[in-house]
């Protein structure tokens, strides 16, 4: 590959990192996910009404996603994965806290959705008027949570790339070793 192509790829990579780090992009993605959930709440009620298979799929998928999310949060919070000194860790503390907070709220959304499904299954056919609204609510929340979950692979990759960048910087700075704690 020629040096001009490599240079162009580096510039594109930096540009993409900048665009990806903009807060408006996160807000736009989040708002789009919430709007999808609201649309499903308003117009998708007939798709979920009495559909036990769909409810079972939601429960299964969210149980798996909740486990995966706990793994991501564990990786985020593991201080032994941060190379360098305590100064380095303090610099990344704000970024890690922000990522953990986003993952925490997504996990809570999973749990609220599962709790509403549980309550609706307890009500059964006894309270039809309440059950109709509960099904719409959990279908809308499930849509929002599921679409928000599409960012999980990128979050995991960003975590690992941050750590790799930190190792490279630590070695470039001439540190004799990378501390584990």
């Amino acid at each position: 590959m020629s040096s001009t192509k490599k240079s162009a790829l580096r510039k594109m990579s930096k540009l993409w990192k900048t665009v990806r780090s903009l807060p408006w992009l996160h807000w736009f993605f989040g708002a789009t996910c919430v709007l999808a959930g609201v649309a499903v709440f308003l117009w998708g009620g007939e798709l979920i009404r009495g559909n036990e298979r769909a409810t079972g799929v939601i429960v299964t998928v969210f149980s798996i996603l909740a486990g995966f999310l706990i793994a991501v949060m564990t990786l985020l919070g593991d201080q032994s994965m941060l190379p360098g000194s305590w100064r380095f860790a303090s610099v990344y503390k704000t970024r890690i806290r922000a990522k953990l907070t986003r993952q925490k709220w997504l996990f809570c959304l999973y749990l609220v959705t599962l709790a509403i499904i549980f309550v609706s299954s307890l009500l059964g056919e006894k309270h039809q008027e309440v059950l109709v609204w509960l099904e719409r609510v959990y279908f809308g929340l499930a849509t929002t949570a599921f679409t928000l979950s599409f960012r999980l692979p990128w979050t995991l990759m960003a975590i690992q790339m941050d750590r790799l960048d930190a190792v490279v910087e630590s070695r470039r700075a001439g540190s004799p070793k990378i501390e584990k704690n």
Side-chain angles (χ1 to χ4, degrees), residues 5-105:
K5 284 185 180 179
K6 287 181 182 177
S7 175
L9 284 175
R10 270 189 243 119
K11 287 180 184 177
M12 290 295 289
S13 176
K14 285 182 182 179
L15 176 66
W16 179 243
K17 266 188 174 178
T18 303
V19 167
R20 203 179 56 194
S21 70
L22 294 175
W24 64 268
L25 195 58
H26 291 285
W27 285 104
F28 179 74
F29 178 74
T32 303
C33 293
V34 169
L35 287 175
V38 169
V40 166
F41 169 79
L42 294 174
W43 297 294
E46 293 303 315
L47 296 173
I48 199 72
R49 181 76 185 114
N51 192 341
E52 294 298 320
R53 269 183 81 188
T55 303
V57 168
I58 291 171
V59 169
T60 303
V61 167
F62 277 27
S63 298
I64 293 167
L65 284 173
F68 179 73
L69 191 57
I70 289 297
V72 169
M73 292 173 73
T74 302
L75 278 175
L76 269 172
D78 185 11
Q79 93 283 353
S80 70
M81 297 295 286
L82 282 174
S85 67
W86 65 270
R87 287 184 183 97
F88 179 84
S90 69
V91 168
Y92 279 90
K93 180 181 176 181
T94 305
R95 287 179 64 183
I96 291 171
R97 178 177 284 144
K99 288 178 182 179
L100 278 172
T101 302
R102 284 193 300 269
Q103 305 318 319
K104 173 188 73 173
W105 287 114

Side-chain angles (χ1 to χ4, degrees), residues 145-163:
F146 185 73
T147 53
L148 284 170
S149 298
F150 280 112
R151 289 209 28 96
L152 286 177
W154 282 269
T155 300
L156 190 56
M157 185 176 170
I159 294 165
Q160 298 300 8
M161 292 309 296
D162 285 347
R163 290 183 177 148

